[in-house]
C-alpha cells in the first residue's frame, strides 16, 4: 500500500508539473526501475549443476593462424595415443584409413594398419556374410558392436564418438586438453558417485571416464622416484601426460577439420594471385588514365564582336 501511494504521488506530480521540470524526475524513475528489474531477474535466475564448470584457458596451437598448418609429427603421435589408449572405449567411425594417408601415415603404413582388422562383408555367392581383411576405404573399427554393449561395459555411460569431438565442444581444443589434464580430487563439500571422477572442466564436475592418461610411477630400491611413460612414441618424444594430451588433441582437431591445411594452401595461392592481379590492374589503370589525369584544360576569352 505504501509503495502504491508513493507511485501515485509521483505520477500526480508529473501530471501537474512543468514538462521541462518533470523530465529529470522521469529519468530518475526509469533508471531506478530498470536497475531494480535487472537485479530481481539476476537473483531469480536458477543455477544449474551443468553451469558449475571452469572455462578453459586459451592456448596457442600450431595450426592456429592465418597460414599455419597442422604439426604432422604431433598428428602421428596423437594417432598412436588414440590407437593405444582411446580406441579401447571410443570410436572414430566417420574416419577412414584412406584419409590418414599423407597426413598421419604413409600409404604403405595405412595399408598395413587396415590389413590387421577384419571387416564383415557380403553377402557372397552363397548369400552368407564373411570376414575379409580391411581396406583403405574402410572406417576405423569400433570397440563395441552396438550402443547397448558400450553402455553395459561403461557403467551406463555411452562413450562419444571422437571424430568431430573438438568441433562439438565449447572451447574446442582448449576444452579437450584441459579435460584430459585436470582430473583431481573433489573439493570439500562436493561428492561424486561411485565409479565417477571429478573434473572441473566437465559440466557438472563428475564424469564416468577415468583419467585416461597417466605416468606410471615406480620407485627405485634406493627410494629415488622415477617415471615410466604410459606409451612409447616411435620418434622418441617423451610421452608425458601433457605431451600425450597435446598430441591427441591435435589429432582430434585435424579429424574434426580434415580440409584445414588444403583450405589454407588454396588461400595462400589466392592471396598471391589476387595480389598480382591487383598490381597489374593498378598499372593498367594508371597507363590508360594518364593522358586524362595529366591533361590541362585552359579556357580563353573569346573576343567580343565589333558590331555589338
Amino acid at each position: 500500500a505504501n509503495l502504491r501511494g508513493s507511485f501515485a504521488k509521483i505520477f500526480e506530480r508529473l501530471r501537474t508539473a512543468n514538462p521541462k521540470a518533470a523530465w529529470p524526475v522521469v529519468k530518475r524513475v526509469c533508471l531506478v526501475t530498470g536497475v531494480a528489474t535487472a537485479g530481481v531477474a539476476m537473483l531469480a535466475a536458477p543455477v544449474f549443476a551443468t553451469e558449475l564448470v571452469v572455462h578453459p584457458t586459451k592456448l596457442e596451437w600450431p595450426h592456429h593462424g592465418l597460414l599455419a598448418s597442422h604439426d604432422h609429427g604431433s598428428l602421428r603421435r596423437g594417432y598412436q595415443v588414440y590407437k593405444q589408449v582411446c580406441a579401447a572405449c571410443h570410436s572414430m567411425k566417420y574416419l577412414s584409413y584412406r584419409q590418414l594417408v599423407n597426413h598421419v601415415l604413409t600409404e604403405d603404413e595405412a595399408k598395413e594398419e587396415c590389413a590387421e582388422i577384419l571387416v564383415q562383408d557380403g553377402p557372397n555367392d552363397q548369400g552368407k556374410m564373411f570376414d575379409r581383411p580391411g581396406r583403405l576405404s574402410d572406417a576405423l573399427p569400433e570397440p563395441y558392436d552396438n550402443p547397448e554393449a558400450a553402455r553395459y561395459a561403461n557403467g551406463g555411460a555411452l562413450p562419444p564418438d571422437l571424430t568431430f569431438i573438438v568441433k562439438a565442444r565449447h572451447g574446442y581444443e582448449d576444452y579437450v586438453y584441459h579435460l584430459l589434464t585436470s582430473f583431481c580430487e573433489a573439493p570439500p563439500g562436493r561428492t561424486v558417485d561411485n565409479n565417477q571422477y571429478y573434473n572441473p572442466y566437465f559440466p557438472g564436475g563428475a564424469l564416468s571416464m577415468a583419467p585416461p592418461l597417466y605416468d606410471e610411477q615406480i620407485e627405485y630400491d634406493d627410494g629415488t622416484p622415477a617415471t615410466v611413460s604410459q606409451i612409447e612414441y616411435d620418434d622418441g618424444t617423451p610421452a608425458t601426460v601433457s605431451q600425450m594430451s597435446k598430441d591427441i588433441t591435435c589429432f582430434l582437431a585435424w579429424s574434426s577439420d580434415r580440409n584445414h591445411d588444403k583450405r589454407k594452401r588454396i588461400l595462400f595461392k589466392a592471396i598471391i594471385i589476387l595480389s598480382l592481379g591487383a598490381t597489374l590492374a593498378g598499372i593498367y589503370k594508371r597507363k590508360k588514365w594518364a593522358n586524362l589525369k595529366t591533361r590541362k584544360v585552359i579556357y580563353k576569352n573569346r573576343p567580343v564582336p565589333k558590331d555589338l
Side-chain angles (χ1 to χ4, degrees), residues 163-206:
T163 312
F164 302 104
I165 195 69
V166 169
K167 295 296 185 182
R169 294 295 182 267
H170 173 71
Y172 305 118
E173 298 94 336
D174 301 326
Y175 168 79
V176 175
Y177 177 84
H178 285 89
L179 182 73
L180 293 174
T181 57
S182 300
F183 285 90
C184 60
E185 295 292 334
R190 190 73 183 277
T191 58
V192 295
D193 297 335
N194 294 332
N195 299 325
Q196 286 192 327
Y197 304 87
Y198 180 76
N199 193 309
Y201 290 94
F202 187 77

Side-chain angles (χ1 to χ4, degrees), residues 11 64 74 82 116 133 147 177 192 201 203 230 243 289 297 306:
F11 287 121
H64 285 181
S74 184
Y82 167 76
E116 296 176 357
Y177 177 84
V192 295
Y201 290 94
Q230 183 179 1
Q243 181 66 50
W289 285 85
V297 180
K306 294 181 179 181

Side-chain angles (χ1 to χ4, degrees), residues 132-265:
R132 60 165 176 80
R135 302 168 183 163
L136 289 178
S137 58
D138 293 324
L140 270 64
E142 300 183 43
Y144 304 104
D145 295 333
N146 50 66
E148 288 71 20
R151 287 191 177 93
Y152 178 78
N154 292 277
L158 179 63
D161 185 87
L162 298 182
T163 312
F164 302 104
I165 195 69
V166 169
K167 295 296 185 182
R169 294 295 182 267
H170 173 71
Y172 305 118
E173 298 94 336
D174 301 326
Y175 168 79
V176 175
Y177 177 84
H178 285 89
L179 182 73
L180 293 174
T181 57
S182 300
F183 285 90
C184 60
E185 295 292 334
R190 190 73 183 277
T191 58
V192 295
D193 297 335
N194 294 332
N195 299 325
Q196 286 192 327
Y197 304 87
Y198 180 76
N199 193 309
Y201 290 94
F202 187 77
L207 70 165
S208 300
M209 181 179 70
L213 304 175
Y214 54 87
D215 292 328
E216 294 182 358
Q217 296 291 333
I218 64 174
E219 187 173 343
Y220 291 124
D221 295 335
D222 59 0
T224 303
T227 304
V228 176
S229 298
Q230 183 179 1
I231 65 175
E232 292 184 5
Y233 284 135
D234 295 335
D235 58 2
T237 303
T240 60
V241 172
S242 59
Q243 181 66 50
M244 289 187 289
S245 301
K246 180 253 185 184
D247 292 335
I248 185 61
T249 302
C250 288
F251 174 70
L252 296 178
W254 169 82
S255 174
S256 299
D257 188 6
R258 294 185 284 274
N259 292 323
H260 176 273
D261 290 356
K262 181 179 180 181
R263 185 171 63 249
K264 288 190 175 179
R265 283 197 299 268

Side-chain angles (χ1 to χ4, degrees), residues 62-190:
H63 54 279
H64 285 181
L66 182 62
L67 297 176
S69 64
H70 282 286
D71 180 0
H72 290 265
S74 184
L75 297 185
R76 187 180 180 90
R77 294 191 298 269
Y79 174 68
Q80 186 176 350
V81 175
Y82 167 76
K83 186 172 62 174
Q84 297 186 15
V85 180
C86 308
C89 300
H90 295 273
S91 64
M92 295 189 74
K93 59 184 178 182
Y94 302 108
L95 180 66
S96 61
Y97 284 100
R98 64 178 177 83
Q99 293 169 322
L100 299 176
V101 176
N102 296 331
H103 293 282
V104 180
L105 304 173
T106 63
E107 184 174 356
D108 293 336
E109 289 173 336
K111 289 181 178 179
E112 184 178 353
E113 287 273 344
C114 63
E116 296 176 357
I117 65 173
L118 292 177
V119 179
Q120 189 179 53
D121 203 347
N124 57 14
D125 296 337
Q126 299 176 355
K128 297 180 179 180
M129 305 300 290
F130 61 93
D131 292 334
R132 60 165 176 80
R135 302 168 183 163
L136 289 178
S137 58
D138 293 324
L140 270 64
E142 300 183 43
Y144 304 104
D145 295 333
N146 50 66
E148 288 71 20
R151 287 191 177 93
Y152 178 78
N154 292 277
L158 179 63
D161 185 87
L162 298 182
T163 312
F164 302 104
I165 195 69
V166 169
K167 295 296 185 182
R169 294 295 182 267
H170 173 71
Y172 305 118
E173 298 94 336
D174 301 326
Y175 168 79
V176 175
Y177 177 84
H178 285 89
L179 182 73
L180 293 174
T181 57
S182 300
F183 285 90
C184 60
E185 295 292 334
R190 190 73 183 277

Side-chain angles (χ1 to χ4, degrees), residues 19-33:
K20 292 183 178 180
W23 177 243
V25 179
V26 174
K27 290 175 62 177
R28 192 176 302 124
V29 171
C30 293
L31 179 61
V32 173
T33 304

